[in-house]
Amino acid sequence: QSVLTQPPSVSGAPGQGVTISCTGTSSNIGAAYDVHWYQQLPGAAPKFLIYGNNNRPSGVPDRFSGSKSGTSASLAITGLQAEDEAVYYCQSYDSGLSGWVFGGGTKLTVL
Amino acid sequence: QVQLQESGPGLVKPSQTLSLTCTVSGASISSGSYYWSWIRQPAGQGLEWIGRIYTYGRINYNPSLKSRVTVSLDTSNNQFSLKLSSVTAADTAVYYCARADYGGYFDHWGQGTLVTVSS
């Protein structure tokens, strides 16, 4: 059971958009700790996608965006492409655990 | 270009100690404000943070693993290491080393190494 809750799967057609949610509690996201997002392609290590809730590292397309409100955060992907098919993870800090926590991951299928 | 590479035995017997090393290139582990971290991923499952060591020595562990985990720095070889004692089959996973920025996000990852616990 992950500390941060994500839907197991989402799907969308090429060109469409999807949103992946990440729900936490008052000891992590709700405590104003930043949320970060990672993309894990099959057989590969995770790659960091969004940091500090809504910032993209260089090289990440602007089709990817993040937001945060209250005890939840979201990753939005617009203009879906086949290469976006991957598992996406959110991550934050938890004051009760005094450490970093991840969501369980969301598998994105591009139909 | 910062690169991390895990190394260590791929097979560990139950009750023994799992030992992994992460070799860092393109950056010095003794400078900058970074956390050098270990994360694992059982097959088909999500990511679990194991522990971290700050450039200046402060160490934190996942409470669920704290009694069995040791993370340390070897600045002379620009490496950091993980030791996990009393392993069981539940510790079978791909183990990643990663660098975390002071902002708390993992900006560089190793490719991962599979460790299987079996007799």
Side-chain angles (χ1 to χ4, degrees), chain B residues 1-94:
Chain B
Q1 181 185 358
V2 179
Q3 293 185 313
L4 295 87
Q5 177 68 59
E6 306 87 353
S7 60
L11 181 64
V12 181
K13 289 183 167 49
S15 80
Q16 294 191 341
T17 296
L18 179 160
S19 296
L20 295 175
T21 297
C22 182
T23 300
V24 180
S25 58
S28 171
I29 64 170
S30 56
S31 64
S33 297
Y34 297 108
Y35 292 98
W36 303 96
S37 306
W38 290 96
I39 296 152
R40 71 181 182 179
Q41 184 173 35
Q45 297 186 39
L47 301 166
E48 179 181 33
W49 171 70
I50 298 171
R52 67 184 186 185
I53 183 165
Y54 187 49
T55 300
Y56 302 104
R58 188 166 72 239
I59 299 172
N60 299 97
Y61 299 129
N62 185 321
S64 68
L65 299 169
K66 186 175 182 178
S67 63
R68 301 194 290 131
V69 174
T70 303
V71 176
S72 59
L73 289 178
D74 177 0
T75 55
S76 61
N77 289 306
N78 216 40
Q79 297 174 329
F80 62 105
S81 65
L82 167 71
K83 291 189 186 301
L84 181 66
S85 63
S86 304
V87 298
T88 70
D91 296 310
T92 294
V94 174

Coordinates of all heavy atoms in Angstrom, one line a residue, chain B residues 1-94:
Chain B
Q1 N 28.4 15.3 -17.6 CA 27.2 14.5 -17.5 C 27.3 13.5 -16.4 O 28.2 12.7 -16.3 CB 27.0 13.7 -18.8 CG 25.8 12.8 -18.9 CD 25.7 12.0 -20.2 OE1 26.6 12.1 -21.0 NE2 24.7 11.2 -20.3
V2 N 26.3 13.6 -15.5 CA 26.3 12.8 -14.3 C 25.8 11.4 -14.6 O 24.8 11.2 -15.2 CB 25.4 13.4 -13.2 CG1 25.4 12.5 -11.9 CG2 25.9 14.8 -12.8
Q3 N 26.6 10.4 -14.2 CA 26.1 9.0 -14.4 C 26.3 8.2 -13.1 O 27.3 8.4 -12.4 CB 26.9 8.4 -15.5 CG 26.6 9.0 -16.9 CD 27.3 8.3 -18.0 OE1 28.5 8.0 -18.0 NE2 26.6 8.0 -19.1
L4 N 25.4 7.3 -12.9 CA 25.5 6.4 -11.7 C 25.4 5.0 -12.2 O 24.6 4.7 -13.1 CB 24.4 6.7 -10.7 CG 24.3 8.1 -10.1 CD1 23.6 9.1 -10.9 CD2 23.7 8.0 -8.7
Q5 N 26.2 4.1 -11.6 CA 26.2 2.7 -12.0 C 26.2 1.8 -10.7 O 27.2 1.9 -9.9 CB 27.4 2.4 -12.8 CG 27.6 1.0 -13.3 CD 26.5 0.5 -14.2 OE1 26.3 1.1 -15.3 NE2 25.7 -0.5 -13.8
E6 N 25.2 1.0 -10.6 CA 25.2 0.0 -9.5 C 26.0 -1.2 -9.8 O 26.1 -1.6 -10.9 CB 23.7 -0.5 -9.2 CG 22.7 0.6 -9.0 CD 22.1 1.1 -10.3 OE1 22.6 0.7 -11.4 OE2 21.1 1.9 -10.2
S7 N 26.6 -1.8 -8.7 CA 27.3 -3.0 -8.9 C 27.2 -3.9 -7.6 O 27.0 -3.3 -6.5 CB 28.8 -2.8 -9.2 OG 29.4 -2.0 -8.2
G8 N 27.3 -5.2 -7.8 CA 27.2 -6.1 -6.6 C 26.6 -7.4 -7.0 O 26.2 -7.6 -8.2
P9 N 26.6 -8.3 -6.1 CA 26.1 -9.7 -6.4 C 24.6 -9.7 -6.8 O 23.8 -8.9 -6.3 CB 26.2 -10.4 -5.1 CG 27.2 -9.7 -4.3 CD 27.0 -8.2 -4.7
G10 N 24.3 -10.5 -7.8 CA 22.9 -10.6 -8.3 C 22.1 -11.6 -7.5 O 20.9 -11.7 -7.7
L11 N 22.8 -12.4 -6.7 CA 22.1 -13.5 -6.0 C 22.6 -13.5 -4.5 O 23.9 -13.5 -4.3 CB 22.4 -14.8 -6.6 CG 21.8 -16.1 -6.0 CD1 20.2 -16.0 -6.0 CD2 22.3 -17.3 -6.6
V12 N 21.7 -13.4 -3.6 CA 22.1 -13.4 -2.2 C 21.2 -14.5 -1.5 O 20.0 -14.6 -1.8 CB 21.8 -12.0 -1.5 CG1 22.2 -12.0 -0.1 CG2 22.6 -10.9 -2.3
K13 N 21.8 -15.2 -0.6 CA 21.1 -16.2 0.2 C 20.3 -15.6 1.3 O 20.6 -14.6 1.9 CB 22.1 -17.3 0.7 CG 22.7 -18.2 -0.3 CD 23.6 -19.2 0.4 CE 24.0 -20.3 -0.6 NZ 24.5 -19.8 -1.9
P14 N 19.1 -16.2 1.6 CA 18.3 -15.8 2.7 C 19.1 -15.7 4.0 O 20.0 -16.5 4.3 CB 17.2 -16.8 2.8 CG 17.1 -17.4 1.4 CD 18.5 -17.4 0.9
S15 N 18.8 -14.7 4.8 CA 19.5 -14.4 6.1 C 20.8 -13.7 5.9 O 21.4 -13.2 6.9 CB 19.6 -15.6 7.0 OG 20.7 -16.4 6.6
Q16 N 21.4 -13.6 4.7 CA 22.7 -13.0 4.5 C 22.5 -11.5 4.3 O 21.3 -10.9 4.4 CB 23.4 -13.6 3.4 CG 23.8 -15.1 3.7 CD 24.8 -15.6 2.6 OE1 24.9 -15.1 1.5 NE2 25.5 -16.7 3.0
T17 N 23.6 -10.8 4.0 CA 23.6 -9.3 3.8 C 23.8 -9.0 2.4 O 24.7 -9.5 1.7 CB 24.6 -8.7 4.7 OG1 24.4 -8.9 6.1 CG2 24.7 -7.2 4.4
L18 N 22.8 -8.2 1.8 CA 22.9 -7.7 0.5 C 23.8 -6.5 0.5 O 23.6 -5.5 1.3 CB 21.5 -7.3 0.0 CG 21.2 -6.7 -1.3 CD1 19.7 -6.9 -1.6 CD2 21.6 -5.2 -1.4
S19 N 24.8 -6.4 -0.4 CA 25.7 -5.3 -0.5 C 25.8 -4.8 -1.9 O 26.2 -5.6 -2.8 CB 27.1 -5.7 0.0 OG 27.1 -6.1 1.4
L20 N 25.6 -3.5 -2.1 CA 25.7 -2.9 -3.4 C 26.5 -1.6 -3.3 O 26.5 -0.9 -2.3 CB 24.3 -2.6 -3.9 CG 23.3 -3.7 -4.2 CD1 22.0 -3.2 -4.6 CD2 23.9 -4.6 -5.3
T21 N 27.1 -1.3 -4.4 CA 27.9 -0.1 -4.5 C 27.4 0.7 -5.7 O 27.0 0.1 -6.8 CB 29.4 -0.4 -4.7 OG1 29.9 -1.1 -3.6 CG2 30.2 0.9 -4.9
C22 N 27.4 2.0 -5.6 CA 27.0 2.9 -6.7 C 28.2 3.8 -7.0 O 28.7 4.5 -6.1 CB 25.8 3.8 -6.3 SG 25.3 4.9 -7.6
T23 N 28.7 3.7 -8.2 CA 29.9 4.5 -8.7 C 29.3 5.7 -9.4 O 28.5 5.5 -10.4 CB 30.8 3.7 -9.6 OG1 31.3 2.5 -8.8 CG2 32.0 4.5 -10.0
V24 N 29.7 6.9 -9.0 CA 29.3 8.1 -9.6 C 30.4 8.7 -10.5 O 31.5 8.8 -10.1 CB 28.9 9.1 -8.5 CG1 28.4 10.4 -9.1 CG2 27.8 8.5 -7.6
S25 N 30.0 9.1 -11.7 CA 30.9 9.8 -12.6 C 30.3 11.1 -13.0 O 29.1 11.2 -13.1 CB 31.3 9.0 -13.8 OG 30.2 8.6 -14.5
G26 N 31.1 12.1 -13.3 CA 30.6 13.4 -13.8 C 30.2 14.3 -12.7 O 29.7 15.4 -12.9
A27 N 30.4 13.9 -11.4 CA 30.1 14.8 -10.3 C 30.8 14.2 -9.1 O 31.1 13.0 -9.0 CB 28.6 14.8 -10.0
S28 N 31.2 15.0 -8.1 CA 31.8 14.6 -6.9 C 30.8 14.4 -5.8 O 30.0 15.3 -5.5 CB 32.8 15.6 -6.5 OG 33.3 15.3 -5.2
I29 N 30.8 13.3 -5.1 CA 29.8 13.0 -4.1 C 30.1 13.8 -2.8 O 29.3 13.9 -1.9 CB 29.7 11.5 -3.7 CG1 31.0 11.0 -3.1 CG2 29.2 10.7 -4.9 CD1 30.8 9.6 -2.6
S30 N 31.3 14.4 -2.8 CA 31.6 15.2 -1.6 C 31.5 16.7 -1.8 O 31.9 17.5 -0.9 CB 33.1 14.9 -1.2 OG 34.0 15.2 -2.3
S31 N 30.8 17.1 -2.9 CA 30.5 18.5 -3.0 C 29.1 18.7 -3.5 O 28.5 17.8 -4.1 CB 31.5 19.1 -4.0 OG 31.4 18.6 -5.3
G32 N 28.6 19.9 -3.3 CA 27.2 20.2 -3.7 C 26.2 19.8 -2.7 O 26.6 19.0 -1.8
S33 N 25.0 20.2 -2.8 CA 24.0 19.9 -1.8 C 23.1 18.8 -2.4 O 22.0 19.1 -3.0 CB 23.2 21.1 -1.5 OG 24.0 22.1 -0.9
Y34 N 23.5 17.6 -2.3 CA 22.8 16.4 -2.9 C 22.6 15.3 -1.9 O 23.4 15.2 -0.9 CB 23.5 15.9 -4.1 CG 23.6 16.9 -5.2 CD1 24.8 17.5 -5.5 CD2 22.5 17.2 -6.0 CE1 24.9 18.4 -6.6 CE2 22.6 18.2 -7.0 CZ 23.8 18.7 -7.3 OH 23.9 19.6 -8.3
Y35 N 21.5 14.6 -2.1 CA 21.3 13.3 -1.3 C 21.6 12.1 -2.2 O 21.1 12.1 -3.3 CB 19.9 13.2 -0.9 CG 19.4 14.3 0.1 CD1 18.8 15.4 -0.2 CD2 19.7 14.1 1.5 CE1 18.4 16.4 0.7 CE2 19.3 15.0 2.4 CZ 18.6 16.1 2.0 OH 18.2 17.0 3.0
W36 N 22.4 11.3 -1.8 CA 22.8 10.1 -2.5 C 21.9 8.9 -2.0 O 22.0 8.6 -0.8 CB 24.3 9.8 -2.4 CG 25.0 11.0 -2.9 CD1 25.6 12.0 -2.2 CD2 25.3 11.3 -4.3 NE1 26.1 12.9 -3.0 CE2 26.0 12.5 -4.3 CE3 25.0 10.7 -5.5 CZ2 26.4 13.2 -5.4 CZ3 25.4 11.3 -6.7 CH2 26.1 12.6 -6.6
S37 N 21.1 8.3 -2.8 CA 20.0 7.5 -2.4 C 19.9 6.1 -3.0 O 20.5 5.9 -4.1 CB 18.7 8.3 -2.7 OG 18.7 9.6 -2.2
W38 N 19.2 5.3 -2.3 CA 18.9 4.0 -2.8 C 17.3 3.8 -2.9 O 16.6 4.2 -1.9 CB 19.5 2.9 -2.0 CG 21.0 2.8 -2.1 CD1 21.9 3.4 -1.3 CD2 21.7 2.1 -3.1 NE1 23.2 3.1 -1.7 CE2 23.1 2.3 -2.8 CE3 21.4 1.3 -4.2 CZ2 24.1 1.8 -3.6 CZ3 22.4 0.8 -5.0 CH2 23.7 1.1 -4.7
I39 N 16.9 3.2 -4.0 CA 15.5 2.9 -4.2 C 15.4 1.5 -4.8 O 16.2 1.1 -5.5 CB 14.9 4.0 -5.2 CG1 15.0 5.4 -4.6 CG2 13.5 3.6 -5.6 CD1 15.1 6.5 -5.7
R40 N 14.3 0.8 -4.4 CA 14.1 -0.5 -5.0 C 12.7 -0.7 -5.6 O 11.8 0.0 -5.3 CB 14.4 -1.6 -4.0 CG 13.4 -1.7 -2.9 CD 13.8 -2.8 -1.9 NE 12.8 -3.0 -0.9 CZ 12.9 -3.9 0.1 NH1 14.0 -4.7 0.2 NH2 12.0 -4.0 1.0
Q41 N 12.6 -1.7 -6.5 CA 11.4 -2.0 -7.2 C 11.2 -3.5 -7.4 O 11.9 -4.0 -8.3 CB 11.4 -1.2 -8.5 CG 10.1 -1.4 -9.3 CD 10.1 -0.5 -10.5 OE1 11.1 -0.3 -11.2 NE2 8.9 0.1 -10.9
P42 N 10.4 -4.1 -6.6 CA 10.1 -5.5 -6.9 C 9.4 -5.7 -8.3 O 8.8 -4.7 -8.8 CB 9.1 -5.9 -5.8 CG 9.3 -4.9 -4.7 CD 9.7 -3.6 -5.4
A43 N 9.6 -6.8 -8.8 CA 9.1 -7.1 -10.2 C 7.6 -6.8 -10.2 O 6.8 -7.2 -9.4 CB 9.3 -8.5 -10.6
G44 N 7.2 -5.9 -11.2 CA 5.8 -5.6 -11.4 C 5.2 -4.7 -10.4 O 4.0 -4.5 -10.4
Q45 N 6.0 -4.1 -9.5 CA 5.5 -3.3 -8.5 C 6.1 -1.9 -8.5 O 6.8 -1.5 -9.5 CB 5.8 -3.9 -7.1 CG 5.1 -5.3 -6.9 CD 5.4 -5.8 -5.5 OE1 5.3 -5.1 -4.5 NE2 5.6 -7.1 -5.4
G46 N 5.7 -1.1 -7.6 CA 6.1 0.3 -7.6 C 7.5 0.5 -6.9 O 8.2 -0.4 -6.5
L47 N 7.8 1.8 -6.8 CA 9.1 2.2 -6.2 C 9.1 2.4 -4.7 O 8.1 2.9 -4.2 CB 9.5 3.6 -6.9 CG 9.7 3.5 -8.4 CD1 9.7 5.0 -8.9 CD2 10.9 2.8 -8.8
E48 N 10.1 2.0 -4.1 CA 10.2 2.1 -2.6 C 11.6 2.8 -2.3 O 12.6 2.2 -2.6 CB 10.1 0.8 -1.9 CG 10.2 0.9 -0.4 CD 10.2 -0.5 0.3 OE1 10.6 -1.5 -0.2 OE2 9.6 -0.5 1.5
W49 N 11.5 3.9 -1.6 CA 12.7 4.6 -1.2 C 13.3 3.8 0.0 O 12.6 3.5 1.0 CB 12.4 6.0 -0.8 CG 13.5 6.7 -0.1 CD1 14.7 7.1 -0.7 CD2 13.6 7.1 1.3 NE1 15.5 7.7 0.2 CE2 14.9 7.7 1.4 CE3 12.8 7.0 2.4 CZ2 15.3 8.2 2.7 CZ3 13.2 7.5 3.6 CH2 14.5 8.1 3.7
I50 N 14.6 3.6 0.0 CA 15.3 2.8 1.0 C 16.0 3.7 2.0 O 15.9 3.6 3.2 CB 16.3 1.8 0.4 CG1 15.6 0.8 -0.5 CG2 17.1 1.1 1.5 CD1 16.6 0.0 -1.4
G51 N 16.8 4.6 1.5 CA 17.6 5.5 2.4 C 18.4 6.5 1.6 O 18.5 6.4 0.4
R52 N 19.0 7.4 2.3 CA 19.8 8.5 1.7 C 20.9 8.9 2.6 O 20.8 8.9 3.8 CB 18.9 9.7 1.3 CG 18.4 10.4 2.6 CD 17.4 11.5 2.2 NE 17.0 12.3 3.4 CZ 16.1 13.3 3.4 NH1 15.5 13.6 2.3 NH2 15.8 13.9 4.5
I53 N 21.9 9.5 2.0 CA 23.0 10.1 2.7 C 23.3 11.4 2.1 O 23.5 11.5 0.9 CB 24.2 9.2 2.8 CG1 25.3 9.8 3.7 CG2 24.8 8.8 1.4 CD1 26.4 8.8 4.1
Y54 N 23.3 12.4 2.9 CA 23.6 13.8 2.4 C 25.1 14.0 2.1 O 25.9 13.3 2.8 CB 23.1 14.8 3.4 CG 23.1 16.2 3.0 CD1 22.6 16.6 1.8 CD2 23.6 17.2 3.9 CE1 22.6 18.0 1.4 CE2 23.6 18.5 3.5 CZ 23.1 18.9 2.3 OH 23.1 20.2 1.9
T55 N 25.4 14.8 1.2 CA 26.8 15.1 0.9 C 27.6 15.4 2.2 O 28.8 14.9 2.3 CB 26.9 16.4 0.0 OG1 26.2 16.1 -1.2 CG2 28.3 16.7 -0.3
Y56 N 27.0 16.0 3.2 CA 27.7 16.4 4.4 C 27.5 15.4 5.5 O 27.8 15.7 6.7 CB 27.4 17.8 4.8 CG 27.8 18.8 3.7 CD1 26.8 19.3 2.9 CD2 29.1 19.1 3.4 CE1 27.1 20.2 1.8 CE2 29.4 19.9 2.3 CZ 28.4 20.5 1.6 OH 28.7 21.3 0.5
G57 N 26.9 14.2 5.2 CA 26.9 13.1 6.1 C 25.6 12.7 6.8 O 25.5 11.6 7.4
R58 N 24.6 13.6 6.8 CA 23.4 13.2 7.5 C 22.7 12.1 6.7 O 22.7 12.0 5.5 CB 22.5 14.4 7.5 CG 21.2 14.2 8.3 CD 20.5 15.5 8.6 NE 19.8 16.0 7.4 CZ 20.1 17.2 6.8 NH1 21.0 18.0 7.3 NH2 19.4 17.6 5.7
I59 N 22.2 11.1 7.5 CA 21.6 9.9 6.9 C 20.2 9.7 7.4 O 19.8 10.0 8.6 CB 22.4 8.7 7.4 CG1 23.9 8.8 6.9 CG2 21.8 7.4 6.9 CD1 24.8 7.7 7.5
N60 N 19.3 9.3 6.5 CA 17.9 8.9 6.8 C 17.5 7.6 6.1 O 18.0 7.4 5.0 CB 17.0 10.0 6.3 CG 17.2 11.3 7.0 OD1 17.9 12.2 6.4 ND2 16.7 11.5 8.2
Y61 N 16.7 6.8 6.8 CA 16.3 5.5 6.3 C 14.8 5.5 6.3 O 14.1 6.1 7.1 CB 16.9 4.4 7.1 CG 18.4 4.3 7.1 CD1 19.1 4.2 8.4 CD2 19.1 4.3 6.0 CE1 20.4 4.1 8.4 CE2 20.5 4.2 6.0 CZ 21.2 4.1 7.2 OH 22.5 4.1 7.2
N62 N 14.2 4.6 5.4 CA 12.8 4.3 5.4 C 12.6 3.6 6.7 O 13.2 2.6 7.0 CB 12.5 3.4 4.2 CG 11.0 3.1 4.1 OD1 10.4 2.9 5.1 ND2 10.6 3.0 2.9
P63 N 11.6 4.0 7.5 CA 11.4 3.4 8.8 C 11.1 1.9 8.7 O 11.4 1.2 9.7 CB 10.1 4.1 9.4 CG 10.2 5.5 8.7 CD 10.7 5.2 7.3
S64 N 10.5 1.5 7.6 CA 10.2 0.0 7.5 C 11.4 -0.8 7.3 O 11.3 -2.0 7.5 CB 9.2 -0.2 6.3 OG 9.8 0.1 5.1
L65 N 12.5 -0.2 7.0 CA 13.8 -1.0 6.7 C 14.9 -0.6 7.6 O 16.0 -1.2 7.6 CB 14.2 -0.7 5.3 CG 13.3 -1.2 4.2 CD1 13.7 -0.7 2.8 CD2 13.2 -2.7 4.1
K66 N 14.6 0.4 8.4 CA 15.7 1.1 9.2 C 16.6 0.1 10.0 O 17.8 0.3 10.1 CB 15.1 2.1 10.1 CG 16.1 3.0 10.9 CD 15.3 4.1 11.7 CE 16.3 5.0 12.4 NZ 15.7 6.1 13.1
S67 N 16.0 -0.9 10.6 CA 16.7 -1.8 11.5 C 17.7 -2.7 10.7 O 18.6 -3.3 11.3 CB 15.8 -2.7 12.3 OG 15.0 -3.5 11.4
R68 N 17.6 -2.7 9.4 CA 18.4 -3.6 8.6 C 19.3 -2.9 7.6 O 20.1 -3.5 6.9 CB 17.5 -4.6 7.8 CG 16.6 -5.5 8.6 CD 16.1 -6.6 7.8 NE 15.1 -6.2 6.9 CZ 15.1 -6.6 5.6 NH1 16.0 -7.3 5.1 NH2 14.1 -6.1 4.8
V69 N 19.2 -1.6 7.5 CA 19.8 -0.8 6.4 C 21.0 0.0 6.9 O 20.9 0.6 7.9 CB 18.8 0.1 5.7 CG1 19.6 1.0 4.6 CG2 17.8 -0.7 5.0
T70 N 22.1 0.0 6.1 CA 23.2 1.0 6.3 C 23.6 1.6 4.9 O 23.8 0.8 3.9 CB 24.4 0.3 6.9 OG1 24.0 -0.4 8.1 CG2 25.5 1.3 7.1
V71 N 23.6 2.9 4.8 CA 24.1 3.6 3.6 C 25.3 4.4 4.0 O 25.3 5.0 5.1 CB 23.0 4.5 3.1 CG1 23.5 5.3 1.9 CG2 21.8 3.7 2.7
S72 N 26.3 4.3 3.2 CA 27.6 5.0 3.5 C 28.2 5.6 2.3 O 27.9 5.2 1.1 CB 28.6 4.1 4.2 OG 28.9 3.0 3.4
L73 N 29.1 6.6 2.5 CA 29.8 7.2 1.4 C 31.3 6.8 1.4 O 31.9 6.6 2.5 CB 29.8 8.8 1.6 CG 28.5 9.6 1.3 CD1 28.8 11.0 1.6 CD2 28.0 9.4 -0.1
D74 N 31.9 6.7 0.2 CA 33.3 6.4 0.0 C 33.8 7.5 -0.9 O 33.9 7.4 -2.1 CB 33.5 5.0 -0.6 CG 35.0 4.7 -0.8 OD1 35.9 5.6 -0.6 OD2 35.3 3.6 -1.3
T75 N 34.2 8.6 -0.3 CA 34.6 9.8 -1.1 C 35.8 9.6 -1.9 O 36.0 10.1 -2.9 CB 34.7 11.0 -0.2 OG1 35.6 10.7 0.9 CG2 33.4 11.4 0.5
S76 N 36.7 8.7 -1.4 CA 38.0 8.5 -2.1 C 37.8 7.8 -3.4 O 38.5 8.0 -4.4 CB 38.9 7.7 -1.2 OG 38.4 6.4 -0.9
N77 N 36.7 7.0 -3.5 CA 36.4 6.3 -4.8 C 35.2 6.9 -5.5 O 34.7 6.4 -6.5 CB 36.2 4.9 -4.5 CG 37.5 4.2 -4.2 OD1 38.4 4.2 -4.9 ND2 37.5 3.5 -3.1
N78 N 34.6 8.0 -4.9 CA 33.4 8.6 -5.5 C 32.3 7.6 -5.6 O 31.6 7.5 -6.7 CB 33.7 9.3 -6.8 CG 32.9 10.6 -7.0 OD1 32.7 11.3 -6.0 ND2 32.3 10.8 -8.2
Q79 N 32.1 6.8 -4.5 CA 31.1 5.8 -4.5 C 30.2 5.9 -3.2 O 30.7 6.5 -2.2 CB 31.7 4.4 -4.5 CG 32.5 4.1 -5.7 CD 33.2 2.8 -5.6 OE1 33.6 2.3 -4.5 NE2 33.4 2.1 -6.7
F80 N 29.0 5.4 -3.3 CA 28.3 5.2 -2.0 C 27.7 3.8 -2.1 O 27.6 3.2 -3.1 CB 27.2 6.3 -1.8 CG 26.1 6.4 -2.8 CD1 24.9 5.9 -2.6 CD2 26.4 7.0 -4.1 CE1 23.8 6.1 -3.5 CE2 25.4 7.2 -5.0 CZ 24.1 6.7 -4.7
S81 N 27.3 3.3 -0.9 CA 27.0 1.9 -0.8 C 25.7 1.6 0.0 O 25.3 2.5 0.8 CB 28.2 1.1 -0.2 OG 28.4 1.5 1.1
L82 N 25.2 0.4 -0.2 CA 24.0 0.0 0.5 C 24.3 -1.4 1.1 O 24.8 -2.3 0.5 CB 22.8 -0.1 -0.4 CG 21.6 -0.9 0.1 CD1 20.9 0.0 1.2 CD2 20.6 -1.2 -1.1
K83 N 23.9 -1.6 2.4 CA 24.0 -2.9 3.0 C 22.6 -3.1 3.6 O 22.1 -2.3 4.4 CB 25.1 -3.0 4.1 CG 26.5 -2.9 3.5 CD 27.5 -3.3 4.6 CE 28.9 -3.1 4.0 NZ 29.2 -4.0 2.9
L84 N 22.0 -4.3 3.3 CA 20.7 -4.7 3.8 C 20.9 -6.1 4.4 O 21.2 -7.0 3.7 CB 19.7 -4.7 2.7 CG 18.2 -5.1 3.1 CD1 17.6 -4.0 4.0 CD2 17.4 -5.2 1.9
S85 N 20.7 -6.1 5.7 CA 21.0 -7.4 6.4 C 19.7 -8.3 6.5 O 18.6 -7.8 6.3 CB 21.5 -7.1 7.8 OG 20.5 -6.4 8.6
S86 N 20.0 -9.5 6.9 CA 18.9 -10.5 7.1 C 17.8 -10.5 6.0 O 16.6 -10.4 6.3 CB 18.2 -10.2 8.5 OG 19.1 -10.1 9.5
V87 N 18.3 -10.7 4.8 CA 17.4 -10.6 3.7 C 16.5 -11.8 3.6 O 16.9 -12.9 4.0 CB 18.1 -10.4 2.3 CG1 18.9 -9.0 2.4 CG2 19.1 -11.5 2.1
T88 N 15.3 -11.6 3.0 CA 14.4 -12.7 2.7 C 14.0 -12.5 1.2 O 14.3 -11.6 0.6 CB 13.1 -12.6 3.6 OG1 12.4 -11.4 3.2 CG2 13.5 -12.5 5.1
A89 N 13.1 -13.4 0.8 CA 12.7 -13.4 -0.6 C 11.9 -12.1 -0.9 O 11.9 -11.6 -2.0 CB 11.7 -14.6 -0.9
A90 N 11.4 -11.5 0.1 CA 10.7 -10.2 -0.1 C 11.6 -9.0 -0.4 O 11.1 -8.0 -0.9 CB 9.9 -9.8 1.2
D91 N 12.9 -9.2 -0.3 CA 13.9 -8.2 -0.7 C 14.3 -8.4 -2.1 O 15.2 -7.6 -2.6 CB 15.1 -8.3 0.3 CG 14.7 -7.9 1.7 OD1 14.0 -6.9 1.9 OD2 15.1 -8.7 2.6
T92 N 13.8 -9.4 -2.8 CA 14.1 -9.5 -4.2 C 13.6 -8.3 -5.0 O 12.4 -8.1 -4.9 CB 13.6 -10.8 -4.8 OG1 14.3 -11.9 -4.1 CG2 13.8 -10.9 -6.3
A93 N 14.4 -7.6 -5.7 CA 14.0 -6.4 -6.4 C 15.1 -5.9 -7.3 O 16.2 -6.4 -7.3 CB 13.6 -5.3 -5.4
V94 N 14.7 -5.0 -8.2 CA 15.7 -4.2 -8.9 C 16.1 -3.0 -8.0 O 15.2 -2.3 -7.5 CB 15.2 -3.6 -10.2 CG1 16.2 -2.6 -10.8 CG2 14.9 -4.8 -11.2

